[in-house]
């Protein structure tokens, strides 16, 4: 089981945030990322939104980074840890620009970039950026195909409804081959079919943990899946957040569980097919206390995970 390091103040969700996190600065995050890198965490993942309508701020919070920029910065501050997103809102970004940004960061970090693509859910955000919300799935499928073409072809060409290119050069290519890992976030059948065709991992959000094995079977039954190794992410606190960032009770994902409870729960998730997880932020009062807890997780919990 790989462990994601939860970096505080990536967002301010009512369902998960503790009051002290709002005061965490970029400098604090840099220090914490370096500790996570040194201690042996496997990944840091960056959420993304571009603009939050005021009527969503109470639940969603106003604070989000642009995922690729933050990933690239954190890669420059660390040595070995992988940098992912959770998620990059694919239909809201031009695929040539996004492919270039991710390939650049992968090249400069010696192959430590990943990306989790999602189609997005916040309709007003699409309106603000002039992207048709009800076409976002079709846009995402086309953009994904175009990005893979740019990353893998020596003479990239693509002819689609939303993006077309030909007779171009595109470098640098990603260091990782055939390209940096693509994961898909989402729970609808369309998202899982997209994961089967393009991805090496799935980031579940609204899927109940007891349904993960069934949904993983669905992915692997699709004609686009070719038997490649496939990761599944489900953090212990994931189901405290409902659709639209509503607050949900989840006794299996409460912060501050004992070592035995955490190990038992992670073991059960592994039986469902989960390969990557995260331990919820505990009820602490600040950065230093959190770092003490994060180090405890690595020293006490990780050695007990298969």
């Amino acid at each position: 089981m790989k462990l994601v390091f939860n970096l505080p103040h990536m967002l301010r969700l009512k369902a998960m945030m503790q009051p002290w996190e709002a005061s965490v600065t970029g400098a604090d995050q840099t220090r914490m990322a370096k500790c996570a890198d040194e201690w042996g965490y496997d990944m840091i993942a960056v959420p993304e939104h571009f603009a939050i309508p005021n009527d969503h701020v109470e639940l969603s919070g106003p604070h989000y980074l642009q995922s690729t920029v933050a990933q690239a910065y954190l890669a420059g501050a660390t040595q070995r840890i992988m940098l992912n997103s959770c998620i990059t809102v694919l239909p809201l970004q031009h695929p040539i620009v996004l492919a270039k940004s991710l390939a650049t960061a992968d090249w400069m970090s010696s192959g430590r970039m990943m990306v989790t693509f999602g189609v997005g859910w916040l309709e007003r955000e699409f309106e603000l950026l002039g992207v048709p919300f009800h076409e976002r799935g079709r846009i995402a499928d086309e953009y994904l195909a175009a990005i893979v073409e740019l990353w893998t072809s020596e003479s990239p060409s693509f002819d689609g409804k939303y993006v077309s290119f030909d007779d171009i050069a595109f470098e640098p290519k990603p260091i990782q081959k055939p390209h940096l890992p693509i994961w898909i976030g989402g729970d609808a059948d369309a998202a899982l079919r997209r994961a089967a065709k393009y991805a090496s991992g799935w980031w579940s959000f609204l899927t109940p943990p007891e349904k993960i094995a069934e949904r993983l079977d669905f992915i692997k039954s699709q004609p686009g899946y070719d038997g490649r190794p496939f990761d599944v992410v489900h953090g212990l606190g994931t189901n405290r957040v409902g659709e639209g960032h509503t607050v949900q009770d989840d006794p299996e994902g409460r912060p501050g569980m004992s070592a035995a409870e955490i190990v038992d729960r992670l073991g059960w998730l592994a039986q469902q097919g989960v390969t990557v997880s995260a331990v919820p932020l505990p009820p602490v009062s600040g950065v230093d206390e959190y770092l003490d807890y994060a180090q405890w997780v690595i020293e006490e919990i990780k050695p007990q995970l298969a």
Side-chain angles (χ1 to χ4, degrees), residues 226-249:
D226 58 6
R228 61 194 174 274
F230 199 87
D231 282 306
V232 177
V233 191
H234 189 86
L236 290 186
T238 296
N239 290 107
R240 292 160 58 198
V241 184
E243 189 168 0
H245 292 162
T246 55
V247 180
Q248 294 189 153
D249 181 48

Side-chain angles (χ1 to χ4, degrees), residues 200-212:
S200 57
W202 168 48
W203 202 304
S204 63
F205 291 114
L206 300 176
T207 302
E210 61 273 14
K211 296 287 187 181
I212 287 176

Side-chain angles (χ1 to χ4, degrees), residues 50-64:
F50 292 96
I52 302 295
N54 281 336
D55 58 0
H56 277 275
V57 168
E58 181 184 0
L59 292 176
S60 299
H63 179 90
Y64 292 86

Side-chain angles (χ1 to χ4, degrees), residues 6 16 18 20 236-237 240 250-263 265 278-284 289-290 293-294 296-297 301:
N6 283 320
M16 301 182 75
Q18 299 176 39
W20 64 272
L236 290 186
R240 292 160 58 198
D250 179 20
E252 300 289 352
R254 68 188 187 282
M257 291 187 288
S258 69
E261 289 173 317
I262 293 171
V263 170
R265 185 62 177 172
V279 177
L281 269 67
V284 297
E289 273 191 63
Y290 174 57
Y293 181 83
W296 173 81
V297 169
I301 304 299

Side-chain angles (χ1 to χ4, degrees), residues 71 84-85 88 102 113-117 151 180-183:
Q71 287 172 253
N84 201 347
S85 60
T88 295
L102 288 164
M113 292 292 285
M114 305 172 65
V115 63
T116 302
F117 287 133
W151 282 345
L180 59 94
I182 295 171
W183 291 0

